[in-house]
Amino acid sequence: MNIEDLKAEIIAYSKEIGIDKIGFTTADPFVELKERLRRQQELGYQSGFEKGTIEERTEPRLLFPDAQSIISIAVAYPAKMENAPKSTRGDRRGVFCRASWGIDYHDALKERLSKLSDFIKSKETEFTGKLMVDTGELVDKAVAERAGIGFGGKNTLLITPEFGSYVYLGELITNIPFTPDEPLEDSCGDCTICIDVCPTGAIVQGGQLDSKRCIAFLTQVKDFVPEEFRDKIGNRLYGCDTCQAVCPRNRHVDFHLHADLEPEPEIVKPQLKPILKMSNRQFKETYGHMAGSWRGKKPIQRNAIIALGVYKDNTAIDELIEILVNDPRPVMRGTAAWSLGKIGTDAALIAISEAKEREADDQVLYEIDLALNKLEGGAASNAR
Ligand code: SF4
Ligand code: SF4
């Protein structure tokens, strides 16, 4: 089949299988990106979650020697949730970011890309391809930008004219030399809202992300969250939407085009206290289908402990003391000490002081001392 006709058929078919935008680009190396990734690495801004070397991330032919083109796809996800439960005193709730609403988007997009691949194969028997969504080596945003899906915003996300930045991205490297689409001529202009509003100052140098300061990353680490970021994490259990929520390009954007990407309100905005006691099995049954569960139960529970401290929820004292005394994981005991210190009632102070006598782990002891210093400092300044 003529390549232009095949391209037209692929575009038409993509609409039938829940792909909202599609673009084509060459399989040439991503030269500018390579430079940017090198700078990022030198500055120590990478998260550590990236897959592959800088060469593999920027040279499609290293991943797929027959590569001739890349098809980039975007699928829009909702920005607003109907019937969101309220977080109230004594019944505080945490939040999962929008990219964790519905089923895991990796699965949702891989399914669509597989169908696309089967379709191309049915038209062109010589076709071979390799699909990727987020966790592959290629940088989805860079591919989408070059394929004309959207432009790179200063918040480091891809912004489409139609769906704002609320899109999931994936790609299919192919052995067919499709004609490339033109990148969009668009930009943030003078706007710097996301840079000014980011709670941790993670967006630096006009559009570079210091991943280690980004809340989206910090909510996923399994170790202690550095103390300076805990209040800023607030009630976030997974991810952070702030730099998308404030973006003028997302104003009035809220698409509900796919049933599999709709949020379940009780699951994406859950009560905090029950999370503390969840077994692995309960966690898997409740959250296993979501993107936000990929790091397992531990970071979500740790973030729930932080959120209860940030809320100063004194109805959670018994649960937090139970963790401080009995949880085998030092990260949980230490974070519980911090939260009890924030809540700061007499019962919290007594529990932290008693824990100090029994505790053997250095990091937990450090957290205990930090909490006691704050509480005793607060008591001293109140007495003055
Ligand atoms: S996700 Fe949150 S912390 Fe990260 S850059 Fe955006 S606003 Fe800042
Ligand atoms: S908030 Fe402004 S600077 Fe940031 S991504 Fe949106 S348009 Fe660009």
Side-chain angles (χ1 to χ4, degrees):
M1 182 186 271
N2 167 300
I3 290 183
E4 286 311 314
D5 291 345
L6 179 58
K7 183 173 172 181
E9 286 206 25
I10 293 169
I11 294 169
Y13 179 70
S14 71
K15 311 270 172 271
E16 291 172 27
I17 56 169
I19 291 171
D20 298 313
K21 200 162 180 193
I22 189 163
F24 296 71
T25 185
T26 66
D28 295 343
F30 291 83
V31 180
E32 268 177 46
L33 176 66
K34 191 181 271 184
E35 280 313 303
R36 213 166 60 233
L37 293 178
R38 283 208 178 112
R39 276 200 307 277
Q40 225 177 6
Q41 197 175 46
E42 280 161 19
L43 292 164
Y45 287 169
Q46 291 184 320
S47 69
F49 293 151
E50 299 87 0
K51 186 173 178 194
T53 60
I54 288 182
E55 283 69 31
E56 285 165 339
R57 301 184 70 204
T58 54
E59 295 181 36
R61 288 191 186 95
L62 289 182
L63 309 170
F64 186 65
D66 292 337
Q68 296 285 339
S69 69
I70 313 176
I71 304 178
S72 170
I73 65 161
V75 175
Y77 60 87
K80 297 201 176 94
M81 169 170 50
E82 268 187 38
N83 305 320
K86 292 250 177 321
S87 179
T88 56
R89 209 177 149 74
D91 185 22
R92 293 298 185 188
R93 289 174 182 266
V95 285
F96 283 81
C97 72
R98 293 170 174 88
S100 186
W101 291 2
I103 67 158
D104 188 332
Y105 70 89
H106 300 87
D107 298 334
L109 264 75
K110 278 180 186 163
E111 193 197 333
R112 287 160 169 85
L113 285 166
S114 295
K115 284 185 184 164
L116 201 63
S117 178
D118 291 346
F119 177 80
I120 303 172
K121 184 88 188 159
S122 74
K123 302 282 168 188
E124 180 57 65
T125 49
E126 299 296 304
F127 163 77
T128 55
K130 184 178 172 76
L131 64 86
M132 281 182 201
V133 180
D134 179 46
T135 52
E137 290 86 348
L138 288 186
V139 178
D140 303 331
K141 185 191 127 199
V143 177
E145 227 179 311
R146 204 167 76 182
I149 299 269
F151 70 95
K154 289 179 192 165
N155 61 4
T156 74
L157 300 167
L158 185 96
I159 301 178
T160 67
E162 304 86 348
F163 312 108
S165 60
Y166 295 127
V167 284
Y168 297 126
L169 302 171
E171 58 271 338
L172 181 62
I173 314 176
T174 88
N175 64 343
I176 302 177
F178 290 110
T179 345
D181 294 323
E182 287 296 316
L184 295 185
E185 291 203 9
D186 201 349
S187 76
C188 296
D190 296 337
C191 179
T192 57
I193 296 174
C194 57
I195 299 171
D196 304 337
V197 166
C198 171
T200 56
I203 309 171
V204 286
Q205 298 190 357
Q208 284 245 38
L209 185 72
D210 180 352
S211 299
K212 298 201 177 69
R213 295 189 69 82
C214 174
I215 291 171
F217 165 76
L218 291 165
T219 58
Q220 298 175 52
V221 298
K222 290 188 177 175
D223 208 339
F224 282 97
V225 170
E227 207 221 341
E228 63 169 307
F229 300 120
R230 293 180 197 159
D231 278 311
K232 290 173 174 155
I233 283 183
N235 72 336
R236 296 178 182 90
L237 294 172
Y238 179 83
C240 168
D241 280 328
T242 301
C243 55
Q244 299 203 76
V246 297
C247 178
R249 298 299 194 112
N250 283 338
R251 204 170 287 148
H252 311 304
V253 170
D254 181 28
F255 285 90
H256 296 261
L257 304 175
H258 311 286
D260 54 350
L261 302 178
E262 285 297 317
E264 301 155 276
E266 279 295 331
I267 296 200
V268 301
K269 196 176 172 192
Q271 294 170 306
L272 290 168
K273 282 184 273 184
I275 291 176
L276 304 182
K277 293 185 181 156
M278 270 190 167
S279 66
N280 287 340
R281 189 166 155 203
Q282 286 168 326
F283 180 82
K284 216 165 170 217
E285 280 169 7
T286 314
Y287 301 113
H289 61 291
M290 292 165 55
S293 71
W294 79 284
R295 297 282 285 166
K297 184 177 75 163
K298 190 176 174 185
I300 304 289
Q301 281 185 324
R302 192 244 359 254
N303 298 338
I305 296 171
I306 291 176
L308 289 164
V310 174
Y311 275 127
K312 297 190 170 56
D313 184 351
N314 59 15
T315 70
I317 287 224
D318 290 347
E319 285 91 338
L320 292 172
I321 292 176
E322 168 69 23
I323 292 170
L324 178 63
V325 174
N326 287 324
D327 199 295
R329 300 163 296 179
V331 172
M332 300 299 156
R333 297 201 302 281
T335 309
W338 179 83
S339 282
L340 286 164
K342 294 281 292 180
I343 295 170
T345 59
D346 289 346
L349 179 58
I350 292 166
I352 302 169
S353 305
E354 287 178 359
K356 185 171 174 166
E357 303 305 315
R358 289 184 310 268
E359 185 58 59
D361 184 279
D362 285 346
Q363 272 185 299
V364 182
L365 279 168
Y366 172 81
E367 293 291 337
I368 286 176
D369 282 336
L370 206 67
L372 286 175
N373 285 343
K374 273 204 184 138
L375 285 171
E376 284 157 5
S381 62
N382 286 343
R384 277 199 286 273

